Coordinates of all heavy atoms in Angstrom, one line a residue:
T71 N 27.8 -49.1 -14.2 CA 27.6 -48.1 -13.2 C 28.8 -48.1 -12.2 O 29.2 -49.1 -11.7 CB 26.3 -48.3 -12.3 OG1 25.2 -48.3 -13.2 CG2 26.2 -47.3 -11.2
L72 N 29.4 -46.9 -12.1 CA 30.6 -46.7 -11.2 C 30.2 -45.8 -10.0 O 29.6 -44.7 -10.2 CB 31.7 -46.1 -12.0 CG 33.0 -45.7 -11.1 CD1 33.7 -47.0 -10.6 CD2 33.9 -44.9 -11.9
T73 N 30.4 -46.3 -8.8 CA 30.1 -45.5 -7.6 C 31.4 -45.3 -6.8 O 32.2 -46.2 -6.6 CB 29.1 -46.3 -6.7 OG1 27.9 -46.6 -7.4 CG2 28.8 -45.5 -5.4
Y74 N 31.6 -44.0 -6.4 CA 32.8 -43.7 -5.7 C 32.5 -42.7 -4.6 O 31.8 -41.7 -4.9 CB 33.9 -43.1 -6.7 CG 35.1 -42.7 -6.1 CD1 36.0 -43.6 -5.5 CD2 35.5 -41.3 -6.0 CE1 37.2 -43.2 -4.9 CE2 36.7 -40.9 -5.4 CZ 37.5 -41.8 -4.9 OH 38.7 -41.4 -4.3
A75 N 33.1 -42.9 -3.4 CA 32.9 -42.0 -2.3 C 34.3 -41.4 -1.9 O 35.3 -42.1 -1.9 CB 32.3 -42.7 -1.1
F76 N 34.3 -40.1 -1.6 CA 35.6 -39.4 -1.2 C 35.2 -38.4 -0.1 O 34.1 -37.9 0.0 CB 36.2 -38.8 -2.4 CG 35.5 -37.7 -3.1 CD1 35.7 -36.4 -2.8 CD2 34.5 -38.1 -4.0 CE1 34.9 -35.4 -3.4 CE2 33.8 -37.1 -4.7 CZ 34.0 -35.7 -4.4
P77 N 36.2 -38.1 0.8 CA 36.0 -37.2 1.9 C 35.6 -35.8 1.4 O 36.2 -35.3 0.4 CB 37.4 -37.1 2.6 CG 38.0 -38.4 2.2 CD 37.6 -38.7 0.8
A78 N 34.7 -35.2 2.1 CA 34.3 -33.8 1.8 C 35.3 -32.8 2.4 O 35.8 -33.0 3.4 CB 32.9 -33.5 2.3
R79 N 35.5 -31.7 1.6 CA 36.5 -30.7 2.1 C 35.7 -29.3 2.0 O 34.8 -29.1 1.2 CB 37.7 -30.6 1.2 CG 38.4 -32.0 1.1 CD 39.6 -31.8 0.1 NE 39.3 -31.2 -1.1 CZ 40.1 -31.0 -2.1 NH1 41.4 -31.3 -2.0 NH2 39.7 -30.4 -3.3
P80 N 36.1 -28.4 2.9 CA 35.5 -27.1 2.9 C 35.5 -26.4 1.6 O 34.5 -25.7 1.2 CB 36.2 -26.3 4.0 CG 36.8 -27.4 4.9 CD 37.1 -28.5 4.0
N81 N 36.6 -26.6 0.8 CA 36.7 -25.8 -0.5 C 36.0 -26.6 -1.6 O 36.2 -26.2 -2.8 CB 38.2 -25.6 -0.8 CG 39.0 -26.8 -0.9 OD1 38.5 -27.9 -0.5 ND2 40.2 -26.7 -1.4
D82 N 35.3 -27.7 -1.3 CA 34.6 -28.4 -2.3 C 33.3 -27.7 -2.8 O 32.8 -28.0 -3.9 CB 34.2 -29.8 -1.8 CG 35.3 -30.8 -1.8 OD1 36.3 -30.5 -2.5 OD2 35.2 -31.8 -1.1
L83 N 32.8 -26.8 -2.0 CA 31.6 -26.1 -2.3 C 31.7 -25.4 -3.7 O 32.6 -24.5 -3.9 CB 31.2 -25.1 -1.2 CG 29.9 -24.3 -1.4 CD1 28.8 -25.3 -1.4 CD2 29.7 -23.3 -0.3
G84 N 30.8 -25.8 -4.6 CA 30.8 -25.1 -5.9 C 31.7 -25.8 -6.9 O 31.7 -25.5 -8.1
Q85 N 32.6 -26.7 -6.5 CA 33.5 -27.4 -7.4 C 32.7 -28.3 -8.4 O 31.7 -28.9 -8.0 CB 34.5 -28.3 -6.7 CG 35.6 -27.6 -5.9 CD 36.7 -27.3 -6.8 OE1 36.8 -27.8 -8.0 NE2 37.7 -26.5 -6.3
L86 N 33.1 -28.4 -9.6 CA 32.3 -29.2 -10.6 C 33.0 -30.5 -10.8 O 34.2 -30.7 -10.8 CB 32.4 -28.5 -12.0 CG 31.6 -27.1 -12.1 CD1 31.8 -26.5 -13.5 CD2 30.1 -27.3 -11.7
V87 N 32.2 -31.6 -10.8 CA 32.7 -32.9 -11.0 C 32.1 -33.5 -12.3 O 30.9 -33.1 -12.7 CB 32.3 -33.9 -9.8 CG1 33.1 -33.5 -8.6 CG2 30.8 -33.8 -9.5
T88 N 32.9 -34.3 -13.0 CA 32.4 -34.9 -14.3 C 32.8 -36.3 -14.3 O 33.8 -36.8 -13.6 CB 33.1 -34.1 -15.5 OG1 34.5 -34.0 -15.3 CG2 32.5 -32.7 -15.6
C89 N 32.2 -37.1 -15.2 CA 32.5 -38.5 -15.5 C 32.9 -38.6 -16.9 O 32.2 -38.1 -17.8 CB 31.3 -39.3 -15.1 SG 31.5 -41.1 -15.4
H90 N 34.0 -39.4 -17.2 CA 34.5 -39.6 -18.5 C 34.6 -41.1 -18.8 O 35.1 -41.8 -18.0 CB 35.8 -38.9 -18.7 CG 35.8 -37.4 -18.4 ND1 35.7 -36.5 -19.4 CD2 35.8 -36.8 -17.2 CE1 35.7 -35.3 -18.8 NE2 35.7 -35.4 -17.5
A91 N 34.2 -41.5 -20.0 CA 34.3 -42.9 -20.5 C 35.2 -42.9 -21.7 O 35.0 -42.2 -22.7 CB 33.0 -43.5 -20.8
H92 N 36.3 -43.8 -21.6 CA 37.2 -43.9 -22.7 C 37.2 -45.4 -23.2 O 37.4 -46.3 -22.3 CB 38.7 -43.5 -22.3 CG 38.8 -42.1 -22.0 ND1 38.5 -41.5 -20.8 CD2 39.3 -41.1 -22.8 CE1 38.8 -40.2 -20.9 NE2 39.3 -39.9 -22.1
L93 N 37.1 -45.6 -24.5 CA 37.4 -46.9 -25.1 C 38.7 -46.8 -25.8 O 38.9 -46.1 -26.8 CB 36.3 -47.3 -26.1 CG 35.0 -48.0 -25.6 CD1 34.0 -48.2 -26.7 CD2 35.3 -49.3 -24.9
N94 N 39.7 -47.5 -25.3 CA 41.0 -47.5 -25.9 C 41.2 -48.8 -26.7 O 41.5 -49.8 -26.1 CB 42.1 -47.4 -24.8 CG 43.5 -47.0 -25.4 OD1 43.7 -47.2 -26.6 ND2 44.4 -46.6 -24.6
L95 N 41.0 -48.7 -28.0 CA 41.0 -49.9 -28.9 C 42.3 -50.0 -29.7 O 42.3 -49.7 -30.9 CB 39.7 -49.8 -29.8 CG 38.4 -49.7 -29.0 CD1 37.3 -49.4 -30.0 CD2 38.1 -50.9 -28.2
D96 N 43.4 -50.3 -29.0 CA 44.6 -50.5 -29.7 C 45.0 -49.3 -30.6 O 45.3 -49.3 -31.7 CB 44.6 -51.7 -30.6 CG 44.5 -53.0 -29.9 OD1 44.8 -53.0 -28.7 OD2 44.0 -54.0 -30.4
G97 N 44.9 -48.1 -29.9 CA 45.2 -46.8 -30.6 C 44.1 -46.0 -31.0 O 44.2 -44.8 -31.1
L98 N 42.9 -46.7 -31.2 CA 41.7 -45.9 -31.5 C 41.0 -45.6 -30.2 O 40.6 -46.5 -29.5 CB 40.8 -46.8 -32.4 CG 39.3 -46.2 -32.7 CD1 39.4 -44.9 -33.4 CD2 38.5 -47.2 -33.4
V99 N 40.8 -44.3 -29.9 CA 40.3 -43.9 -28.6 C 38.9 -43.2 -28.9 O 38.8 -42.3 -29.7 CB 41.2 -42.9 -27.9 CG1 40.5 -42.4 -26.6 CG2 42.5 -43.5 -27.6
V100 N 37.9 -43.8 -28.2 CA 36.5 -43.2 -28.3 C 36.2 -42.6 -26.9 O 36.3 -43.3 -25.9 CB 35.5 -44.3 -28.7 CG1 34.1 -43.7 -28.7 CG2 35.9 -45.0 -30.0
H101 N 35.8 -41.4 -26.9 CA 35.7 -40.6 -25.6 C 34.3 -40.0 -25.5 O 33.8 -39.5 -26.5 CB 36.7 -39.5 -25.5 CG 36.5 -38.6 -24.3 ND1 35.9 -37.4 -24.4 CD2 36.8 -38.8 -23.0 CE1 35.9 -36.9 -23.2 NE2 36.4 -37.7 -22.3
S102 N 33.7 -40.2 -24.3 CA 32.4 -39.6 -24.0 C 32.5 -39.0 -22.6 O 33.2 -39.6 -21.8 CB 31.2 -40.5 -24.2 OG 31.1 -41.0 -25.5
S103 N 31.7 -38.0 -22.3 CA 31.7 -37.4 -21.0 C 30.3 -36.9 -20.6 O 29.4 -36.7 -21.4 CB 32.7 -36.2 -20.9 OG 32.4 -35.2 -21.8
S104 N 30.1 -36.8 -19.3 CA 28.9 -36.4 -18.7 C 28.8 -34.9 -18.6 O 29.8 -34.2 -18.8 CB 28.7 -37.0 -17.3 OG 29.6 -36.4 -16.4
A105 N 27.6 -34.4 -18.3 CA 27.5 -32.9 -18.0 C 28.0 -32.7 -16.6 O 28.0 -33.6 -15.7 CB 26.0 -32.6 -18.0
P106 N 28.6 -31.6 -16.3 CA 29.2 -31.3 -15.0 C 28.1 -31.2 -13.9 O 27.1 -30.7 -14.2 CB 30.0 -30.0 -15.2 CG 29.4 -29.4 -16.4 CD 28.9 -30.4 -17.2
M107 N 28.5 -31.6 -12.7 CA 27.6 -31.4 -11.5 C 28.4 -30.7 -10.4 O 29.5 -31.1 -10.1 CB 27.1 -32.8 -11.1 CG 26.1 -33.5 -12.0 SD 24.5 -32.6 -11.9 CE 23.7 -33.5 -13.1
P108 N 27.7 -29.8 -9.7 CA 28.4 -29.0 -8.6 C 28.4 -29.8 -7.3 O 27.4 -30.5 -7.0 CB 27.7 -27.7 -8.6 CG 26.3 -28.1 -9.0 CD 26.4 -29.2 -10.0
L109 N 29.4 -29.7 -6.5 CA 29.4 -30.2 -5.2 C 28.8 -29.2 -4.3 O 29.0 -28.0 -4.4 CB 30.9 -30.5 -4.7 CG 31.6 -31.7 -5.4 CD1 33.0 -31.7 -5.0 CD2 30.9 -33.0 -5.2
S110 N 28.0 -29.7 -3.3 CA 27.3 -28.8 -2.4 C 27.1 -29.4 -1.0 O 26.9 -30.6 -0.9 CB 25.9 -28.4 -3.0 OG 25.2 -27.6 -2.0

């Protein structure tokens, strides 16, 4: 579980945020990502 906080900005409204997981195995890359979530 990764938790991260960052300052809110006026133009953040409606921006989409996503989370990505990468396994970098000596050249073999396995990638997975989350569904996007809007900032509000």
Side-chain angles (χ1 to χ4, degrees):
T71 298
L72 175 67
T73 302
Y74 177 69
F76 61 97
R79 305 179 308 181
N81 59 349
D82 282 341
L83 183 63
Q85 288 274 352
L86 296 178
V87 289
T88 52
C89 179
H90 303 262
H92 291 83
L93 275 177
N94 192 345
L95 305 170
D96 296 338
L98 172 64
V99 178
V100 181
H101 173 260
S102 299
S103 58
S104 69
M107 289 288 176
L109 293 173
S110 172

